[in-house]
Amino acid sequence: MTLLRLGIRVRAEEAEPAYARLHEVLAAGAQVRELDGAVEYATYGAPDALPADARLRELAGDALLGISRTPLADGWATAYHAHLGRVTAGALAVRPPWVPGEPDDLVIDPGDSFGGGHHVTTRLCLELLQELEPSGALCDWGTGSGVLAVAAARLGWAPVYAIDLDGGELVAANARANGVGLEFAGCDVAREPAPAAPTVVANLTAPLLRAAMAVQPRPQVMIASGFLAGEMEATRERDGWGAALLCA
Ligand SMILES: C[S@@+](CC[C@H](N)C(=O)[O-])C[C@H]1O[C@@H](n2cnc3c(N)ncnc32)[C@H](O)[C@@H]1O
């Protein structure tokens, strides 16, 4: 299948509000490149899964400088991976396997999923996890690569349940690579019960968070992120995104 790299160039001085307005396009993770007087956000997808130029113009408004669509026949994931580095959040550092780092780093292969630890919402969740006292079971709703679940297991929660619509093999591989045990379950958290746990971490979008919170039993402690600042009440905000620590 042909995949496209969609590049959206916006004026540097309007890059942050433009990023927030482009949320529906970039929420699954975007590359960010600073160019001369501009910032380029890039994402990948099948041609019919990417939004039309008209929609991008509508979302980006006057900040838009240009749109590019580059076919990537093979190796598209590798192209995306080349932009991932080592990121830190509190005392934790996350890096992909091909980036050099320290022995204690969480080594997470993002595969084709969101979740190299690079997104600000993932880092907010990692920071908030480190402010809690690990105790008992934890469930990660929307685990992606498993980065938050692996971090939770490393910090001392057990058992740790990693939940996503699919992607169990990648999560299992990342758990093995970090020497932690995780239990993956394929589950739509907006529709069916996930394994119950007193602590939940959920890096989803605001609509999904609301839907999941209506369906799942209320945990004692929940870290929620993936929403834009202003969409939900936040404990912490950064770069236009919010994260909340909720206690029953
Ligand atoms: C924003 S990513 C977060 C990934 C990872 N937790 C992180 O912080 O890097 C959201 C994840 O939620 C998953 N997801 C989306 N809708 C879901 C649903 N209804 N039930 C379970 N997982 C879902 C997506 O597949 C994706 O992996």
Side-chain angles (χ1 to χ4, degrees), residues 184-196:
F184 178 86
C187 163
D188 178 344
V189 293
R191 291 174 199 279
E192 48 193 328

Side-chain angles (χ1 to χ4, degrees), residues 27 114-117 122 140-145 147-148 163-165 187-190 203-204 208:
F114 180 106
T122 307
D140 176 15
W141 298 348
T143 199
S145 63
V147 55
L148 297 175
I163 308 304
D164 211 299
L165 298 168
C187 163
D188 178 344
V189 293
N203 188 13
L204 298 163
L208 267 175

